[in-house]
Amino acid sequence: MAQFLAALLAALTLALMPRVACAENGEGSAVVLTIDGAIGPASAEYVHDGLAEARRRQAKAIVLAMDTPGGLSSSMRAIIADMLASPIPVLVYVSPAGARAASAGTYILYASQFAAMAPSTHLGAATPVQLGGGLFGGGGQEKKNEKSATAPSTPEEAKVLNDAVAYIRSLAQLRGRNAEWAEKAVREAATLTAREALDKHVINAIANDVPDLLRQADGHKVKVGQRDVTLKTRGLPAVSIAPDWRSQILAVITNPNIAYLLLLAGIYGIMFEFFSPGAYFPGVLGGIALLVGLYAMNLLPINYAGIGLLLLGVGMMAAEAFAPSGVLALGGIAAFVLGSLFLFRGEAPGFALSWPVIAAAAVVSAGFLVIALAAVVRAHRRRVTIGDPALIGSEGQVLRWENGEGEVHVHGERWHARAAAPLSPGQQVRVVERRNLTLLIEPATSTTKS
C-alpha cells in the first residue's frame, strides 16, 4: 500500500511536466512514444492518448520506440487497432541497443508503416500462450522447441495458434513484409537479429537513433488508411510525450503484485472494520483498496480457481480465530499460497506474482487473521465491565430498605432500588433490571444464575 501511495504521488507530481515541456512545440514534428516493459492496459491507453495528441499537434510522423518482452493479447490488439486507424504514419523503432520486440512486440512492429531496429536488438518468439483470454508471453517462448510450437496438444490451442498466424500474416501482407517468417515466428517461436531482420525484409532499416530513423524513412512510400503517402521526415524535430498521470497510475495498479496487495488490503481492512466497528479508517481505506484492486484485476488475466483458493485460505485462517486447532491455520496458509500462485494465468513477462510478495503476504495474512483476529474475538467474549450489560446480574448489598424500596450498594455506588420480595439491610441482592436511575433487584439466593 505504501508503494502504491508513493507511486501515486510521484505520478501526480510529474503528470503535467511532459505537457508543459512540449507545449511550445508546434506543427511539423515527429512525436515519440516509448514502450519500455511488458505491454498491458497502461501501455494501450498511453499509445491511444499519444496518437490522439499527435493528431492534435498535427504531427508529420509518430515514432513508437519499443523495448518489450511481450504482454497481454488484448492490449496488443488495442494498440494495433489504434495504429491502423491513425491518419499519421507510425514508425516503430526497436531501441536502444540490446532491446527486443518479442512476442506482442513483433505483431506491433509488423503493423507499422515503417519498421527499424537499433544495432544489437532482436525480435520474434511470437507464439501465443492460450489462457482463455489471451496472453502473449515472450520470456519462456524462446526456449520452446519446434515440436511443441508446431503441434498444439488440444483443438483449443490449435485454434488460438492458427488465429495468431492468420493475424500476423494479415499484417505482413498489409505492410508488404515477410509473411513466411512471420508465421515461423508464431509457430516455431523463431527470432531474428536486426541484421537478419533487414535481410529477410522484416524491417525497413537499421537506425542508430531517432534522427537517423527519420532520415532513412524520408521518401519511403507507405499506405495510411486508403491513401498512399510519401514520408517527409528528414530533419523533423523529435518531441517526446510521456504518459499522463492516469496512465502512470494505471501502470502502477495493473502491476500484478500491486493489484494483489490492494485486494488483500481491502479484504483485511473491511474484516477489521467488521470485527471492530467504529474504527472507520480501516473500513474506508479497505473499501477504496478493494475497489481499486478489483478494477485492476478486471484488466488482468486472472484465474478464478486461484481467486477461489485465495478466499478459501483467508476464510480458513479467519475460522482458526474462532475455533483454534492448528489444522485450519495450516490448511488456510496452504490454500492461500496455492491460490496466489494460480491467481494470474500464464507466464507473460511482467504479469506474474513474485515469490517474495507471496511469501510476505502469507506470513502477514496468517499473523493478522490467526493472531490479531483471535485477540479481537477474545476481547469480544470478555464480560462487559461498564454500562447496563455490566450492571445486570451484578450482586450488591442492601443499605436501607422500607416498604419495598430503599438503597443498595452495587459496583461501589449507591443506587435507589425496588424489589417485589421483602428485603432487609445487609442482605445480598442481584440486579435484574435498570429503569432510569432505579434498579430492580431480587435476593441473591433466589436465583440459580452463576
Side-chain angles (χ1 to χ4, degrees):
M1 181 59 68
Q3 182 182 358
F4 168 70
L5 293 176
L8 177 61
L9 290 175
L12 292 175
T13 302
L14 298 174
L16 298 178
M17 293 179 63
R19 302 294 182 189
V20 174
C22 298
E24 61 186 14
N25 294 285
E27 302 176 8
S29 62
V31 168
V32 180
L33 308 177
T34 303
I35 296 178
D36 185 9
I39 294 172
S43 306
E45 180 163 308
Y46 165 54
V47 173
H48 178 82
D49 292 344
L51 295 180
E53 179 66 13
R55 291 195 297 272
R56 187 187 68 80
R57 298 184 184 190
Q58 300 182 11
K60 298 298 184 182
I62 299 168
V63 177
L64 183 57
M66 187 167 55
D67 177 12
T68 177
L72 302 180
S73 171
S74 57
S75 299
M76 174 202 75
R77 289 177 180 266
I79 290 174
I80 292 176
D82 285 335
M83 290 172 60
L84 297 180
S86 173
I88 303 173
V90 179
L91 290 63
V92 168
Y93 181 36
V94 183
S95 66
R100 59 178 169 170
S103 192
T106 302
Y107 290 77
I108 294 174
L109 181 142
Y110 261 78
S112 64
Q113 278 92 355
F114 188 92
M117 298 174 68
S120 302
T121 57
H122 68 278
L123 81 162
T127 305
V129 180
Q130 166 57 6
L131 298 167
L135 269 188
F136 279 71
Q141 295 303 314
E142 296 173 14
K143 299 179 181 179
K144 198 169 187 177
N145 60 43
E146 182 175 344
K147 181 179 179 180
S148 62
T150 57
S153 59
T154 66
E156 187 180 38
E157 289 182 4
K159 180 179 178 180
V160 172
L161 184 63
N162 291 333
D163 177 71
V165 168
Y167 188 47
I168 200 168
R169 285 187 69 92
S170 68
L171 295 174
Q173 293 165 5
L174 176 66
R175 301 307 186 199
R177 295 202 166 88
N178 190 330
E180 285 68 29
W181 182 85
E183 181 171 346
K184 189 176 180 181
V186 176
R187 293 193 182 278
E188 303 175 17
T191 58
L192 290 176
T193 64
R195 175 53 59 184
E196 292 169 341
L198 184 62
D199 293 340
K200 290 182 179 295
H201 305 290
V202 173
I203 62 174
N204 303 98
I206 297 177
N208 295 318
D209 50 30
V210 172
D212 187 26
L213 164 66
L214 296 175
R215 180 184 61 80
Q216 294 191 55
D218 187 68
H220 193 84
K221 292 184 178 180
V222 300
K223 184 176 286 294
V224 179
Q226 301 300 319
R227 300 181 295 114
D228 291 325
V229 176
T230 299
L231 296 177
K232 297 179 180 180
T233 55
R234 185 185 294 269
L236 288 180
V239 179
S240 295
I241 296 181
D244 61 13
W245 65 270
R246 189 177 186 279
S247 296
Q248 292 185 52
I249 294 175
L250 189 62
V252 172
I253 66 173
T254 52
N255 180 311
N257 294 307
I258 300 299
Y260 173 74
L261 294 177
L262 283 171
L263 186 65
L264 294 181
I267 292 173
Y268 297 152
I270 292 175
M271 287 181 64
F272 189 86
E273 183 69 28
F274 176 78
F275 285 103
S276 297
Y280 298 121
F281 180 74
V284 171
L285 191 62
I288 295 173
L290 183 61
L291 290 176
V292 174
L294 289 174
Y295 173 73
M297 291 288 183
N298 180 59
L299 299 175
L300 297 172
I302 61 173
N303 187 319
Y304 290 102
I307 288 282
L309 282 170
L310 191 66
L311 295 178
L312 177 64
V314 171
M316 291 175 69
M317 286 188 285
E320 178 70 21
F322 295 90
S325 64
V327 176
L328 289 172
L330 293 176
I333 293 173
F336 183 91
V337 172
L338 287 174
S340 300
L341 291 174
F342 297 157
L343 186 58
F344 294 99
R345 304 174 301 194
E347 299 182 5
F351 291 94
L353 287 175
S354 65
W355 268 104
V357 170
I358 294 175
V363 171
V364 172
S365 297
F368 172 77
L369 294 171
V370 177
I371 300 174
L373 200 56
V376 172
V377 172
R378 286 195 299 270
H380 277 280
R381 289 175 176 173
R382 290 197 192 104
R383 180 180 174 84
V384 181
T385 57
I386 60 173
D388 280 359
L391 193 61
I392 305 304
S394 298
E395 293 190 0
Q397 189 177 43
V398 177
L399 299 177
R400 180 181 61 80
W401 199 259
E402 185 177 356
N403 298 327
E405 60 181 320
E407 292 184 347
V408 295
H409 186 265
V410 180
H411 280 193
E413 300 172 326
R414 297 173 68 98
W415 287 85
H416 181 261
R418 293 176 182 170
L423 300 175
S424 58
Q427 186 175 350
Q428 291 294 113
V429 292
R430 178 176 289 108
V431 178
V432 176
E433 185 182 348
R434 182 177 75 87
R435 295 179 182 174
N436 297 324
L437 298 179
T438 300
L439 300 181
L440 301 184
I441 60 175
E442 63 181 6
T445 56
S446 66
T447 179
T448 58
K449 281 186 179 181
S450 59

